[in-house]
Amino acid sequence: MKLRTIVFAIAALTIVACGQTAEEKVKAFEEAHAAMMQEFQTMMDSLSTDQEKAQAYYEDFVEKYIDFNLEAAKKNVDNQVAVMALGNLMGLIDDAQVDEIISKMSPEMLQDEKVAYMKAGLDARKATAEGMPFVDFTVEHVYGYDRSVDPQPLKKEVKFSDYVGKGKYVLVDFWASWCAPCRAEMPTVKAAFDKYSKKGFGIVGISLDNDENAWKKSIKDMNMTWTHMSDLKGVDCKVALLYGIQSIPYTLLIDQEGTILARNIRGEAIEKKLEELLK
């Protein structure tokens, strides 16, 4: 299905990127992006009664949306268009693609708050990449039924190393009570726990909540019977920053000795990987 608006938007942005001020480039990008999103919404509305066509259109749109933003970012590494485009691409492209663009930015652009945040995430993910040992941390808030350190409630600070690198495969699940996609995926996570918890598998939930009551209520409501940690600092969660987690849900799979086996393993891939490891 042709997306004429997207093709036009890319062409318009390419023209504007030549010989215009930074402000004009930003304005052109915003207008092109708005036109693209308007067409997307219009088309999705028109296909609301045909799920198969809507899904096909959506998948086609995502590919073109990635191309649109990537081209904009690569051609505008000296201005805010690149920052905006990279923001749109969060979770849609891999770290190598983000790194390629940021590496070409000027020292002035690297001082931008959003760019600095993205670069910090890249650096953290490199330090905690697959094959690297886990990085330890402490928290004051721990909640759960399966505790390896007893009596847990009496400890003011609890180490992550109390739960990982202890002879079990551990899925570290970054989530929050307010995160709808996290809640939607929780039955899959719970199914994996129920199936493999007696075969050498555990879960540590790390919440990006700041409301302790909402956090604990969600754990009870969804019957998440594994250990949970949080610093209750919301999106400023120090553990998320330590591991370069900039969107949730997000997972890490750590082996029995504490080596990171996989990052962002999701859905059916969790059980498939555990079946391979614990067969």
Side-chain angles (χ1 to χ4, degrees):
M1 193 173 296
K2 300 298 184 181
L3 301 180
R4 290 171 296 174
T5 297
I6 295 179
V7 174
F8 172 77
I10 293 175
L13 189 62
T14 302
I15 294 171
V16 170
C18 302
Q20 300 297 316
T21 66
E23 291 77 12
E24 288 170 332
K25 292 174 183 178
V26 168
K27 183 179 179 180
F29 177 78
E30 289 175 332
E31 291 176 350
H33 185 268
M36 181 188 308
M37 297 311 296
Q38 179 61 52
E39 179 166 311
F40 170 72
Q41 190 60 59
T42 299
M43 288 297 294
M44 289 299 286
D45 289 344
S46 70
L47 297 172
S48 60
T49 59
D50 191 327
Q51 186 174 357
E52 185 176 341
K53 286 185 178 180
Q55 182 63 29
Y57 172 77
Y58 172 79
E59 292 173 1
D60 191 35
F61 174 83
V62 170
E63 291 183 11
K64 291 178 172 63
Y65 185 75
I66 290 172
D67 291 342
F68 166 71
N69 282 284
L70 269 179
E71 181 172 349
K74 290 176 180 179
K75 291 186 175 181
N76 291 276
V77 291
D78 62 343
N79 64 75
Q80 284 294 313
V81 168
V83 180
M84 297 165 67
L86 283 177
N88 293 339
L89 291 167
M90 289 285 283
L92 295 176
I93 60 175
D94 60 38
D95 282 352
Q97 291 171 296
V98 178
D99 202 12
E100 178 187 0
I101 294 166
I102 289 180
S103 68
K104 295 176 181 177
M105 290 181 171
S106 66
E108 291 75 21
M109 283 295 294
L110 293 177
Q111 297 301 311
D112 180 274
E113 183 178 354
K114 293 178 181 178
V115 175
Y117 173 74
M118 286 186 273
K119 189 175 186 305
L122 282 173
D123 293 342
R125 288 190 291 277
K126 288 177 183 177
T128 56
E130 295 176 6
M132 299 291 286
F134 77 91
V135 179
D136 207 3
F137 57 85
T138 60
V139 295
E140 294 185 12
H141 303 276
V142 177
Y143 183 83
Y145 303 95
D146 181 16
R147 292 185 168 132
S148 61
V149 180
D150 186 52
Q152 194 70 75
L154 301 181
K155 296 177 72 69
K156 178 175 174 58
E157 290 189 339
V158 179
K159 291 184 177 181
F160 186 48
S161 53
D162 290 336
Y163 300 95
V164 299
K166 302 294 184 182
K168 284 186 176 183
Y169 290 101
V170 177
L171 184 75
V172 186
D173 183 26
F174 291 85
W175 71 290
S177 65
W178 43 260
C179 170
C182 301
R183 298 179 73 96
E185 193 157 301
M186 206 57 71
T188 302
V189 175
K190 179 170 171 50
F193 181 76
D194 292 343
K195 185 173 182 178
Y196 293 101
S197 61
K198 294 181 180 179
K199 299 180 181 180
F201 172 65
I203 299 177
V204 173
I206 299 180
S207 168
L208 274 64
D209 278 282
N210 53 22
D211 183 329
E212 185 172 3
N213 291 330
W215 171 49
K216 291 183 176 181
K217 183 178 186 302
S218 292
I219 293 170
K220 289 182 178 179
D221 289 349
M222 291 188 284
N223 196 28
M224 299 156 63
T225 54
W226 51 85
T227 299
H228 296 271
M229 296 181 168
S230 182
D231 57 16
L232 295 178
K233 293 183 179 179
V235 294
D236 294 321
C237 171
K238 66 180 181 182
V239 183
L241 297 175
L242 184 64
Y243 281 88
I245 311 302
Q246 297 181 328
S247 63
I248 54 175
Y250 198 102
T251 61
L252 304 173
L253 183 62
I254 300 177
D255 74 7
Q256 302 101 316
E257 287 75 42
T259 299
I260 297 171
L261 290 180
R263 290 189 65 111
N264 208 22
I265 184 170
R266 305 268 297 278
E268 295 179 358
I270 296 174
E271 188 164 333
K272 184 177 180 181
K273 185 66 175 179
L274 291 175
E275 184 177 0
E276 173 191 323
L277 295 170
L278 298 170
K279 59 185 177 182

